[in-house]
Amino acid sequence: MEFSALPKTSCGSFHQELAIPLVASVASACNAQGRRFRGARSPVLESFQIFLTTVPLPAASSSEDSFLWRANDLDLSYFSAKNTWSELRPRAPKHQYVSSVWFKGAIPRYAFTMWVSQLDRLSTRARLVKWGLGISSLCCLCDCFEENCDHLFLRCEVSEQLWDLVLIRLGYSLFAFHTWDAFMCWLSLRDTTSSILLCRIVALATIYSLWIERNNMFFNSVSTTPQAIFKRIDRHV
């Protein structure tokens, strides 16, 4: 056992303050009378030495040393990389939107755009203005309202026309998504009109296509009709 893995204090490492060589073994740090430490020179070292008094001194034994791994409150007789990784990197609670964004059959670039949209991290004009860019915050597609994710993907006149075509193709009566939460709620519902897998694939393709259309308009001043966008989505799906 070495002391090189002990955490450092503001005055230096433990092995320096305890006057123990960096590569010292347990045997060289204690003898029959006890542990060979000099007096503590900081509260941290004092607490450390008090803790060591609760640990029995190593004793000579004919049996081999044994070890015990403990991870996620489980005592293991073997090393588990999975349990150790889970202990070092605890997972946050699973969000409800995950199954609607990352699912078997999703096209990666579509899912990524959908995920960034869900997190509201796309570089819409509203966000660019907040970052200090001297540009208009109006939507690139309709030039009427502030361009944020809710407007661009759900309430813009271009996106509304596109969603009408998409929903009719899926077999639904016309309806509109007024908020992003309502849109994500629809993606988690199961009904007899269309399979939930198909709805999710089409939704991701629609969001991706609208973002591509927005970028074409923003960078190249090139626009496409909702009907042409829908034909491209229909072909891709």
Side-chain angles (χ1 to χ4, degrees):
M1 177 179 180
E2 296 183 357
F3 288 87
S4 58
L6 293 173
K8 293 185 177 182
T9 66
S10 59
C11 299
S13 61
F14 274 115
H15 71 86
Q16 291 173 334
E17 294 198 19
L18 295 173
I20 297 176
L22 181 62
V23 294
S25 63
V26 175
S28 63
C30 62
N31 53 31
Q33 287 72 40
R35 304 188 186 276
R36 302 169 59 184
F37 295 154
R38 69 184 179 187
R41 297 187 177 184
S42 70
V44 175
L45 287 179
E46 183 179 5
S47 300
F48 175 62
Q49 292 185 7
I50 292 174
F51 167 75
L52 287 179
T53 60
T54 65
V55 180
L57 290 172
S61 174
S62 58
S63 62
E64 295 183 357
D65 292 340
S66 61
F67 65 87
L68 178 67
W69 290 101
R70 184 175 179 83
N72 294 327
D73 297 327
L74 297 175
D75 292 332
L76 306 174
S77 58
Y78 59 91
F79 173 74
S80 170
K82 176 181 178 181
N83 289 326
T84 303
W85 176 247
S86 298
E87 183 76 11
L88 296 175
R89 184 178 180 271
R91 294 181 177 273
K94 185 176 180 180
H95 294 284
Q96 294 182 350
Y97 67 80
V98 171
S99 59
S100 299
V101 177
W102 304 106
F103 55 89
K104 185 177 181 180
I107 299 176
R109 65 177 182 272
Y110 292 1
F112 180 80
T113 303
M114 183 71 169
W115 176 55
V116 180
S117 303
Q118 167 65 32
L119 298 178
D120 194 19
R121 293 295 185 269
L122 288 175
S123 55
T124 59
R125 279 189 164 184
R127 296 197 73 211
L128 294 176
V129 169
K130 291 181 180 179
W131 293 343
L133 274 69
I135 61 174
S136 171
S137 63
L138 296 181
C139 176
C140 288
L141 301 184
C142 68
D143 200 32
C144 295
F145 299 95
E146 183 182 70
E147 184 185 274
N148 52 41
C149 284
D150 278 23
H151 170 78
L152 178 64
F153 295 126
L154 302 178
R155 296 197 293 266
C156 175
E157 61 182 24
V158 175
S159 59
E160 285 184 342
Q161 293 178 44
L162 180 59
W163 278 114
D164 287 346
L165 296 171
V166 168
L167 292 173
I168 291 175
R169 183 71 174 87
L170 289 173
Y172 291 96
S173 301
L174 295 182
F175 60 89
F177 307 107
H178 297 290
T179 64
W180 189 265
D181 289 340
F183 172 57
M184 296 304 295
C185 181
W186 174 70
L187 288 180
S188 64
L189 296 178
R190 298 180 182 272
D191 54 43
T192 57
T193 303
S194 184
S195 71
I196 189 171
L197 176 61
L198 179 59
C199 288
R200 288 173 176 174
I201 292 176
V202 171
L204 267 62
T206 303
I207 295 297
Y208 177 83
S209 298
L210 284 170
W211 184 240
I212 293 298
E213 175 66 14
R214 179 267 184 193
N215 287 338
N216 282 336
M217 190 63 187
F218 183 75
F219 294 107
N220 305 319
S221 299
V222 176
S223 62
T224 308
T225 63
Q227 291 75 18
I229 300 174
F230 168 73
K231 288 182 180 179
R232 185 166 61 245
I233 293 173
D234 191 35
R235 183 170 63 253
H236 288 175
V237 172

